[in-house]
């Protein structure tokens, strides 16, 4: 008698191929998220080795973030049009090659160029990881488990980044925070070439390359103009030209999106109150939280004299706080409602920033790093999930994936612009001083400014965000995860919030 319950050879091969897809997708996402946080603790070493200025140092982060966010929606559409496997290989290949180039950089500009290329590779790779996974795993419990694994691995990459970066910088050199990507990237490239099957969505025959270039170059130019204020002031031509030029490019982007047949970001989605409000809130959150990692890392090493490994260990509780906040947010949201949880999260985050602004040059670990860091990131974790749920529930059913990508783009772009502004604020306060007291005073003012922005965002969201029933809000995120629209949308992407944090990992609905 034949045992009909025993898996057939075909089923075994299909299951093996499915888990190969899950493994490739998770590894790719792990590398992308890891690279947001792993660089932070290596920044002082990069600065001393390559002779980077303070402005160049923040561009080590901004070059990656701006390229990542600016081309992310384009990467998602390219995966649907040209094939998910093909774009996965292209994105991972570019990311790996750029990591190799950055690891061997001999000049500051070479490192910045490599980081921008890494961001572009990540923008192609990250959406392809998710679309490959959802295309390979049938809708239902299996897909939910696969996406849960993908989210957990990404969050682990963010949380582990500080420690991994510290260990590599201390034991080897800062170059290994980039070179570590190369062997893993090569192995995944080989495995993906053999095991992954090609898939693509029909119906699209062109992509909005002009829109992606305009929004990315526009935001990068605005960021450069803001950075110039540190040395040139707000009225100098070196500041005004890039600022006005960047604004003009962004205005041209809006015009192009309104007129093109297949826009990168259809403007109609911003006509929905929930979508518009949630994206503004994500910009505000990203502008504060992304900068936090930069300032805390430099403060720990340049003021408190932590080694890179000690700095990585010191920030581990902060990294875990955002993971735990995001994990418990859906349960709390079901009880208090999405809008209320957003306001609670923003209030907790602003409190953490206020506490951090009391930092001193001889502060203790518990009161100057650990305590305020946990508050800042736990609050961010609480707020991000309901914001994504509100945005998705307010969008048309066919726009869930697009809105998810837009929310993640807003958070990452907000982080890049926020870092540029707050670094200028800190530099203005230090007045060119490099002593511990001067640096601390500048960092404290940056945290105070960010806390004030968060309080303004809290008041704005209290008035602007629509109030949905908690049951709907609690379901909207996961439903978008498994809905056909979220799966097949070319913008069904997920990134680090990191812009806002290293461990900010989103589901297809942005959760």
């Amino acid at each position: 008698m034949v045992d009909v319950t025993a898996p057939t050879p075909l089923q075994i091969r299909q299951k093996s191929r499915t888990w190969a897809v899950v493994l490739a997708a998770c590894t790719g996402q792990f590398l992308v998220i890891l690279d947001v946080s792993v660089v932070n603790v290596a920044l002082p070493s990069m600065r001393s080795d390559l002779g980077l200025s303070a402005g160049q140092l923040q561009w080590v982060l901004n070059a990656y973030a701006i390229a990542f966010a600016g081309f992310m929606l384009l990467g998602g559409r390219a995966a649907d049009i040209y094939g998910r496997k093909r774009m996965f290989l292209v994105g991972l290949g570019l990311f790996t090659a750029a990591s190799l180039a950055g690891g061997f950089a001999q000049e500051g500009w070479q490192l910045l160029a490599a980081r921008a290329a890494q961001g572009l590779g990540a923008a192609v790779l990250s959406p392809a990881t998710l679309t490959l996974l959802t295309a390979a795993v049938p809708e239902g419990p299996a897909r939910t488990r696969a996406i849960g694994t993908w989210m957990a691995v990404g969050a682990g990459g963010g949380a582990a980044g500080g420690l991994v970066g510290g260990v590599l910088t201390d034991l080897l050199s800062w170059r290994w925070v980039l070179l570590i990507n190369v062997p893993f990237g090569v192995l995944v490239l080989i495995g993906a070439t053999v095991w992954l099957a090609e898939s693509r969505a029909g119906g699209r025959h062109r992509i909005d390359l002009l829109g992606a270039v305009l929004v990315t170059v526009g935001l990068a130019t605005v960021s450069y103009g803001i950075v110039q204020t540190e040395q040139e002031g707000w009225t100098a031509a070196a500041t005004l030209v890039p600022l006005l030029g960047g604004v003009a490019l962004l205005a041209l982007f809006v015009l192009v999106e309104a007129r093109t047949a297949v826009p990168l970001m259809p403007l109609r989605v911003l006509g929905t109150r929930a979508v518009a409000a949630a994206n503004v809130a994500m910009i505000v959150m990203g502008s504060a939280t992304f900068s936090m990692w930069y300032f805390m890392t430099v403060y720990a090493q340049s003021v408190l004299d932590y080694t890179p490994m000690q700095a990585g260990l010191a920030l581990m509780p902060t990294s875990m706080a955002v993971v735990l906040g995001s994990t418990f947010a859906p349960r709390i949201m079901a009880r208090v409602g999405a809008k209320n949880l957003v306001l609670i999260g923003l209030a907790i985050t602003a409190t953490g920033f206020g506490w951090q602004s009391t930092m001193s040059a001889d502060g203790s670990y518990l009161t100057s790093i650990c305590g305020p860091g946990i508050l800042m990131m736990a609050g961010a974790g609480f707020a991000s999930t309901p914001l994504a749920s509100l945005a998705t529930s307010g969008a048309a059913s066919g726009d869930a994936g697009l809105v998810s990508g837009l929310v993640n783009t807003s958070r990452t772009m907000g982080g890049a612009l926020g870092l540029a502004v707050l670094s200028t604020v800190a530099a203005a306060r230090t007045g060119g001083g490099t002593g511990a007291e001067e640096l601390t005073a500048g960092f404290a003012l940056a945290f105070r400014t960010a806390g004030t922005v968060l309080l303004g965002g809290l008041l704005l969201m209290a008035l602007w965000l629509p109030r949905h029933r908690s049951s709907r809000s609690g379901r909207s995120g996961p439903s978008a995860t498994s809905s056909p629209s979220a799966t097949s949308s070319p913008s069904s992407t997920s990134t680090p919030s990191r812009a806002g944090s290293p461990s900010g990992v989103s589901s297809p609905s942005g959760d």
Side-chain angles (χ1 to χ4, degrees):
M1 179 181 294
V2 178
D3 183 5
V4 295
T5 63
T8 66
L10 177 60
Q11 290 174 324
I12 294 175
R13 286 196 300 271
Q14 289 176 335
K15 186 174 182 179
S16 299
R17 187 176 292 276
T18 297
W19 280 107
V21 172
V22 173
L23 179 61
C26 288
T27 306
Q29 185 69 359
F30 181 86
L31 291 176
V32 167
I33 302 299
L34 180 74
D35 233 63
V36 176
S37 57
V38 75
V39 171
N40 281 292
V41 295
L43 290 174
S45 299
M46 291 176 176
R47 181 175 187 175
S48 60
D49 193 15
L50 298 180
L52 300 174
S53 66
Q56 289 176 317
L57 196 65
Q58 62 176 283
W59 275 98
V60 174
L61 302 178
N62 269 348
Y64 183 90
I66 291 175
F68 190 2
F71 285 102
M72 184 173 57
L73 295 180
L74 181 67
R77 297 205 172 189
D80 279 340
I81 296 172
Y82 300 120
R84 282 90 183 241
K85 174 182 177 179
R86 177 181 298 177
M87 298 316 296
F88 178 90
L89 296 176
V90 169
L92 182 58
L94 177 57
F95 182 85
T96 303
S99 299
L100 182 65
F104 285 104
Q106 300 300 312
E107 302 288 343
W109 69 267
Q110 295 172 350
L111 177 61
L112 298 184
R115 288 289 288 168
Q118 271 189 311
L120 178 57
V124 177
L125 173 62
S126 183
T129 64
L130 185 57
T131 51
L132 273 170
L133 188 149
T134 53
V137 183
E139 187 174 339
R143 181 183 292 178
T144 302
R145 289 193 299 271
I147 291 177
T149 303
W150 179 85
M151 291 174 62
V153 168
L163 180 59
V164 172
V167 170
L168 291 174
T169 304
D170 259 2
L171 299 183
L172 298 172
S173 94
W174 66 263
R175 298 181 182 278
W176 279 96
V177 303
L178 300 174
L179 293 176
I180 191 66
N181 297 322
V182 177
F184 290 102
V186 170
L187 288 175
V188 176
L189 278 170
I190 295 172
T193 302
V194 175
W195 282 97
L196 296 188
E198 187 59 277
S199 66
R200 58 170 55 87
R204 289 187 181 272
H205 303 287
R206 58 183 293 257
I207 53 179
D208 184 17
L209 180 60
L210 177 60
V213 171
L214 285 174
V215 69
T216 304
V217 176
L219 284 166
T221 305
V222 169
S223 296
Y224 177 78
I226 294 172
V227 172
Q228 287 294 96
T229 62
E230 180 180 336
Q231 294 180 337
E232 304 292 341
W234 285 95
T235 58
T239 299
L240 290 177
V241 170
L243 280 177
L244 296 178
V247 171
L249 289 172
L250 293 176
L252 183 58
F253 165 73
V254 173
L255 181 63
V256 168
E257 298 306 283
R259 294 176 177 270
T260 188
V262 187
L264 179 70
M265 203 286 291
L267 300 181
R268 57 180 167 76
V269 299
L270 294 177
T272 305
R273 177 181 171 185
V275 175
N279 275 279
V280 171
M282 282 296 190
I283 291 173
V284 171
M285 287 284 295
S287 68
T289 54
F290 188 83
S291 307
M292 185 278 297
W293 296 103
Y294 172 79
F295 289 121
M296 292 289 279
T297 300
V298 178
Y299 170 69
Q301 295 185 65
S302 299
V303 176
L304 301 183
D305 293 325
Y306 286 19
T307 66
M309 186 184 298
Q310 289 173 330
L313 287 170
L315 293 174
M316 280 295 289
T318 306
S319 298
M320 294 308 300
V322 72
V323 177
L324 293 176
S326 300
T327 300
F328 288 106
R331 302 179 188 178
I332 302 173
M333 186 167 60
R335 292 179 176 272
V336 304
K339 178 176 179 177
N340 287 338
L341 186 55
V342 170
L343 301 181
I344 291 170
L346 283 170
I348 293 173
T349 304
T351 301
F353 272 83
W355 184 1
Q356 189 64 64
S357 70
T358 65
M359 62 206 297
S360 63
D362 57 351
S364 69
Y365 169 67
L366 289 179
T367 59
S368 293
I369 293 181
C370 185
I374 289 174
L375 276 185
M376 287 186 282
M377 286 296 100
F382 286 145
S384 296
T385 296
L387 278 173
S389 295
L390 283 169
T392 305
S393 64
S397 59
D399 291 332
L402 171 64
V403 170
S404 169
L406 181 61
V407 165
N408 286 302
T409 299
S410 296
R411 179 168 44 197
T412 308
M413 285 298 191
L417 294 173
L419 178 59
V421 172
L422 293 176
S423 294
T424 301
V425 169
R429 178 64 179 83
T430 60
T434 58
E437 294 288 347
E438 291 91 342
L439 289 175
T440 303
F443 298 157
L445 180 59
F447 279 108
R448 239 181 340 266
T449 303
T452 303
V453 170
L454 286 168
L455 288 177
L458 172 63
L459 295 175
L460 181 62
M461 291 306 109
L463 298 173
W464 193 5
L465 274 177
R467 187 177 298 278
H468 289 266
R469 294 177 60 86
S470 60
S471 59
R472 180 183 178 186
S473 299
R475 293 192 308 263
S476 59
S479 66
T481 298
S482 57
S483 68
S485 62
T487 301
S488 61
S489 169
S491 351
S492 181
T493 63
S494 179
T495 67
S497 26
R498 310 250 257 188
S501 79
S503 51
V505 182
S506 303
S507 73
S509 63
D511 289 1

